[in-house]
Amino acid sequence: RNAQDQGQLSSIDLVFCTAFYNSVLFVPLTLTELSEVMIFLQKPGEVPHFFQFLVPYVILGAVLNYATFWCTAVNNPLSTAVAGTLKGVLSSIAGMMMFGVRLTMVGWLGLITSTLGGFVYSIAHSKKPKKI
């Protein structure tokens, strides 16, 4: 974030760096399952299905990654984190309603804590004096 504030990195540069570091972490983990993937892809008709799902996932992942860094550049990292947390709360509620999932006591505690944290942050941020 500091390099971006000083104009040394653009949002695209940050997206590239994040993707690069994620690749360093996840490519070796993916290689451990390569034999099972190859067995799966040898079945008839699985290669077209694989690419039919892979291409949209890659595009959506790239768009989400760019949007996250753009949001962080325009706002601040804490606002982006709170927005992500509230998105997770809404996703959890939608999942409970659509799929009939039942939360444990720890799940409810996490959901309530996330929701309250988002509301407290929103209230505190709205009462913060505006810079002119």
Side-chain angles (χ1 to χ4, degrees):
R1 176 93 177 134
N2 192 21
Q4 186 180 17
D5 289 341
Q6 296 173 3
Q8 296 172 353
L9 292 176
S10 69
S11 295
I12 297 295
D13 294 333
L14 289 174
V15 169
F16 172 78
C17 290
T18 302
F20 177 76
Y21 290 123
N22 285 339
S23 296
V24 169
L25 178 65
F26 288 109
V27 166
L29 293 172
T30 304
L31 292 177
T32 62
E33 302 203 14
L34 186 60
S35 62
E36 285 136 17
V37 170
M38 295 308 293
I39 291 169
F40 174 77
L41 290 177
Q42 289 174 356
K43 295 177 183 174
E46 291 303 334
V47 173
H49 286 125
F50 175 72
F51 286 106
Q52 182 181 5
F53 288 102
L54 179 68
V55 171
Y57 277 122
V58 169
I59 292 170
L60 288 173
V63 169
L64 178 63
N65 207 5
Y66 179 79
T68 300
F69 281 98
W70 176 67
C71 179
T72 303
V74 172
N75 300 300
N76 63 38
L78 184 58
S79 295
T80 303
V82 170
T85 301
L86 291 178
K87 177 197 67 80
V89 168
L90 293 175
S91 297
S92 297
I93 291 170
M96 287 187 301
M97 290 172 27
M98 291 172 61
F99 302 111
V101 175
R102 297 188 185 273
L103 291 180
T104 63
M105 184 59 75
V106 174
W108 279 109
L109 183 62
L111 188 63
I112 291 168
T113 303
S114 293
T115 306
L116 288 176
F119 284 127
V120 168
Y121 173 78
S122 298
I123 292 168
H125 191 68
S126 68
K127 291 185 178 184
K128 183 176 146 183
K130 307 283 185 216
K131 292 182 183 179
I132 298 176

